[in-house]
Amino acid sequence: MTASTSIPARSAILGRLRAAAPEQPLPTPNLTAYHQGPFGQGASGDLLTAFETAAQGWRAEVLHADPTTWATTVREALDRHGCRRVAIGAGGPQHAELVPALSGLALRRFDQPLEQWKAELFDTIDAGITSALAGVADTGSLILQPGPAEPRTLSLVPPLHIAVLRSSTIFASLAAAMATLHPEADMPTNLLLVSGPSKTADIQQVLAYGAHGPKQLVIVLIHDPKEVRP
């Protein structure tokens, strides 16, 4: 099918879908049972321990730091993994502390369209550093909210992904995180849920890591003075 014929076909399909749409909006689903169930309530007890245990189960490395040393912890992780070319976002509240700690490395800011440095990002960058919006204790997952300052490619392409997470933003479950954070108020094109390095089991149902994304994930967990959320 050529481009000239695919456009009318697509328009016809979309037209039928619109015509079949209900005249009245669908009712809001009742999620009470989900929120009260084990998946909605999530982990209990020590959320930091639960998060670290689950994250390590997905082969993530968890490093502990305090608000004054976390940037040094990031640098130590980069040095230990042999990373010399590092990509960071175009800005953000952490940059003032992070950039000095990366002195001596080939630092690349994600401050231009991807098309202009795509080959460099895919072929030469050793690690990407991002912030994490929150953590989910029952699955050891990170919630990333990409945007102009930190595009999603920053965490999806480099062989090593370093995510900076504050302990006060760890929630028992994904439902608890969404109920508190309300990301829909400033919704990006997508939210990223990261559970360990990339993985696939498409080939003979054998789990393989690093198949189509970061081969390694390092979580720098900042123990900030706020209480961990229930």
Side-chain angles (χ1 to χ4, degrees):
M1 180 179 293
T2 65
S4 60
T5 58
S6 63
I7 293 177
R10 181 177 61 184
S11 299
I13 293 172
L14 292 176
R16 291 181 181 179
L17 291 175
R18 295 189 186 99
E23 295 182 1
Q24 299 296 327
L26 297 175
T28 302
N30 187 344
L31 300 178
T32 302
Y34 170 76
H35 286 295
Q36 293 179 349
F39 295 106
Q41 293 180 1
S44 60
D46 185 350
L47 296 188
L48 287 180
T49 299
F51 173 83
E52 182 173 10
T53 300
Q56 290 174 339
W58 290 115
R59 297 192 184 182
E61 180 182 357
V62 181
L63 304 178
H64 297 266
D66 62 49
T68 62
T69 64
W70 69 269
T72 301
T73 302
V74 170
R75 175 58 186 266
E76 291 172 349
L78 291 169
D79 291 342
R80 189 170 63 256
H81 287 274
C83 298
R84 305 306 302 168
R85 294 179 173 271
V86 180
I88 61 175
Q94 298 175 336
H95 275 223
E97 300 172 75
L98 178 62
V99 172
L102 304 181
S103 176
L105 299 177
L107 192 61
R108 193 70 158 86
R109 288 179 173 84
F110 206 141
D111 56 3
Q112 58 182 310
L114 174 62
E115 292 75 14
Q116 296 183 13
W117 70 297
K118 184 175 182 180
E120 180 184 355
L121 176 62
F122 276 77
D123 297 337
T124 68
I125 296 297
D126 300 317
I129 303 173
T130 72
S131 58
L133 178 65
V136 179
D138 64 350
T139 60
S141 302
L142 299 171
I143 302 175
L144 274 58
Q145 188 172 22
E150 288 187 356
R152 62 178 180 266
T153 319
L154 190 60
S155 65
L156 298 177
V157 173
L160 172 66
H161 174 206
I162 296 183
V164 180
L165 172 69
R166 294 188 175 274
S167 62
S168 60
T169 62
I170 293 179
F171 295 83
S173 67
L174 179 60
M178 294 296 100
T180 300
L181 298 173
H182 298 292
E184 69 277 6
D186 184 25
M187 195 66 175
T189 54
N190 58 30
L191 289 175
L192 298 182
L193 295 177
V194 178
S195 301
S198 69
K199 60 190 74 69
T200 183
D202 291 343
I203 301 175
Q204 296 182 343
Q205 297 183 344
V206 176
L207 186 61
Y209 286 83
H212 46 66
K215 296 177 174 61
Q216 296 171 305
L217 170 65
V218 174
I219 301 171
V220 175
L221 182 59
I222 302 175
H223 293 258
D224 56 9
K226 298 180 181 179
E227 293 289 335
V228 177
R229 299 178 185 273

